[in-house]
Amino acid sequence: MQVADEKSAAKKLSPEQSREAFATLGKQLLAGGKELNEIIGLAALHNKWFTEVNIRTALNAIAENFLDEMLLKKWILAYRIEPSRHPEFIEGGRKLTTPFDSAPDDSPKKIALIMAGNVPLAGFHDLLCVLLTGNHALIKMSSKDKHLLPYLLNQLCIIEPAFHKSYEFVEMLKDFDAVIATGSNNSSRYFEYYFGKYPHIIRKNRNSVAVLTGNETDEQLQRLGKDVFLYFGLGCRNVSKLYVPRGYDFPQLFRALEPFHSIIHHHGYKSNFDYNLTLLIMNGTPYHASDFLMLTENKSLASPLASLHFEYYDTLDDAKAFIQASKDEIQCVVAECEIENSISFGKSQQPQFADYADGIDTVRFLLS
């Protein structure tokens, strides 16, 4: 692997230079190449859930949705990040000055990033926000995903060597100004204990849901399959629960999802399918099932791997009320009907730059 030149990493980047470097990285990811293929293969060997197909899907989504030159330009224009690090945010036509204006110096802030490892490059968006705002990233990587991000950052430094001084990988976090941590409900309690006194974003478990009306076409339901099965359903943006009208036709759903049948050939997925199906049978729990997915009626948003929970509604307003009551536990809602702030089927794992996790604007946090 080519190594970036540290000696040329002394200059300070403007927001435009940072944006152009990331846009070039995006083009390289879409172009592919032997070295990228080798890193993808290495990451897939290291983590059985990171198949080459899923890794490429994640890389393409990053390149197309986060690193596209025009999208980056549009995004960065919403935040006036001056080279003097006196950043401003444009909101409703008003210019809002951030507290950095009164800072005693213009040095970058050290931002501790605790990365998740449930899906490939889960923390890339946070890192991108840190670097584009001119801050310094202290990266605590997940042991499940330790090959992809170093490769991307090295490529970025080859494109623009000044980035070399903008990040470091660490085993122990110390001497930082703020924290962005992503983990489970259990790990978040530790994060709150250790990092609660610092400015922070601490993310817990969230799940995504789908609202069905029974009028969906097979093509629409197949797109829903991407929201369910991509990354084996391990991401917070994967659909784990369905809201369906009473009397819903589950056989139609299973027929439409048949193109995803091959997922059962993954050893880890099949083991979870067999185990969870056995539990349902032993406990006498009613269920609907194909030979690669099971559905059970359950109020919980989080469902076991290889299964979905569902809940009936009588009117669409009832479904909206269910969602509103659980809004702090829901990452996103997919629907083909009129549900506020919902996205179309097949788009849950295609977030745009402004689709901030948990609805928290990471850039505004970093600028304030």
Side-chain angles (χ1 to χ4, degrees):
M1 183 186 298
Q2 188 176 358
V3 179
D5 182 4
E6 294 186 38
K7 294 182 179 179
S8 57
K11 70 174 182 177
K12 189 172 186 178
L13 293 174
S14 69
E16 290 73 20
Q17 289 171 316
S18 297
R19 184 190 74 218
E20 290 170 3
F22 274 109
T24 300
L25 177 63
K27 293 174 184 176
Q28 289 185 2
L29 293 180
L30 292 175
K34 180 180 178 182
E35 190 174 4
L36 180 60
N37 291 341
E38 291 174 351
I39 292 296
I40 291 172
L42 183 61
L45 284 174
H46 178 73
N47 186 336
K48 67 179 181 180
W49 298 105
F50 285 17
T51 64
E52 292 196 17
V53 170
N54 280 345
I55 294 171
R56 292 186 187 280
T57 299
L59 289 170
N60 287 341
I62 286 172
E64 293 172 358
N65 299 329
F66 296 163
L67 303 183
D68 175 82
E69 188 169 7
M70 294 306 298
L71 293 177
L72 272 174
K73 183 177 182 179
K74 180 181 179 180
W75 170 83
I76 211 167
L77 286 176
Y79 303 87
R80 192 181 300 279
I81 307 170
E82 303 296 349
S84 62
R85 287 198 48 78
H86 288 180
E88 298 159 339
F89 178 71
I90 308 302
E91 184 179 74
R94 296 185 303 126
K95 188 161 61 174
L96 306 178
T97 304
T98 74
F100 278 150
D101 279 342
S102 58
D105 58 52
D106 64 352
S107 61
K109 307 304 175 184
K110 290 187 176 182
I111 312 299
L113 295 178
I114 302 177
M115 301 290 197
N118 53 327
V119 300
L121 293 163
F124 183 84
H125 186 273
D126 288 333
L127 176 64
L128 181 60
C129 291
V130 170
L131 297 185
L132 283 179
T133 52
N135 289 299
H136 184 91
L138 302 176
I139 307 168
K140 180 72 169 67
M141 295 179 61
S142 168
S143 61
K144 299 176 182 177
D145 187 6
K146 62 182 185 180
H147 298 289
L148 297 170
L149 191 58
Y151 170 78
L152 294 190
L153 284 173
N154 190 72
Q155 295 303 113
L156 182 66
C157 290
I158 293 171
I159 296 166
E160 178 49 79
F163 271 117
H164 187 87
K165 299 296 185 182
S166 297
Y167 70 90
E168 57 187 296
F169 293 102
V170 297
E171 289 298 322
M172 181 176 295
L173 293 170
K174 59 182 180 179
D175 300 328
F176 50 84
D177 300 297
V179 180
I180 301 176
T182 303
S184 65
N185 288 345
N186 186 49
S187 63
S188 68
R189 289 194 288 269
Y190 292 97
F191 295 157
E192 290 280 2
Y193 177 79
Y194 287 108
F195 306 125
K197 65 181 179 180
Y198 300 94
H200 62 266
I201 294 176
I202 295 178
R203 304 194 185 102
K204 305 177 183 179
N205 284 347
R206 287 208 179 201
N207 297 274
S208 297
V209 303
V211 179
L212 305 181
T213 65
N215 298 320
E216 291 81 14
T217 65
D218 285 352
E219 181 183 356
Q220 288 174 324
L221 293 175
Q222 285 176 11
R223 292 203 300 269
L224 173 63
K226 295 180 181 179
D227 303 319
V228 173
F229 296 111
L230 188 60
Y231 308 125
F232 300 100
L234 293 171
C236 65
R237 298 183 67 89
N238 284 109
V239 167
S240 58
K241 182 170 183 176
L242 309 177
Y243 290 101
V244 299
R246 206 168 295 280
Y248 181 76
D249 180 13
F250 286 106
Q252 181 202 5
L253 175 63
F254 284 122
R255 288 194 300 271
L257 295 180
E258 187 62 28
F260 297 91
H261 176 272
S262 62
I263 196 171
I264 198 66
H265 300 309
H266 184 274
H267 175 73
Y269 185 91
K270 187 177 189 306
S271 295
N272 277 271
F273 178 87
D274 292 342
Y275 175 78
N276 289 314
L277 181 59
T278 300
L279 286 182
L280 293 178
I281 295 171
M282 291 177 62
N283 293 330
T285 304
Y287 65 91
H288 304 270
S290 66
D291 55 359
F292 63 97
L293 179 69
M294 67 200 86
L295 282 74
T296 57
E297 187 175 3
N298 195 308
K299 291 185 178 298
S300 173
L301 293 176
S303 60
L305 195 66
S307 67
L308 294 176
H309 287 165
F310 70 87
E311 192 170 349
Y312 290 114
Y313 65 83
D314 293 309
T315 69
L316 199 55
D317 284 340
D318 293 335
K320 294 176 182 178
F322 295 152
I323 292 169
Q324 178 64 24
S326 302
K327 63 179 182 179
D328 292 337
E329 303 170 61
I330 294 176
Q331 192 64 263
C332 61
V333 179
V334 298
E336 296 293 344
C337 55
E338 293 186 5
I339 300 291
E340 186 178 4
N341 297 322
S342 65
I343 56 179
S344 299
F345 290 164
K347 297 295 186 180
S348 72
Q349 289 293 356
Q350 294 288 329
Q352 302 302 303
F353 206 109
D355 291 331
Y356 295 106
D358 297 6
I360 301 172
D361 189 324
T362 312
V363 174
R364 290 192 73 177
F365 166 77
L366 291 167
L367 296 181
S368 62

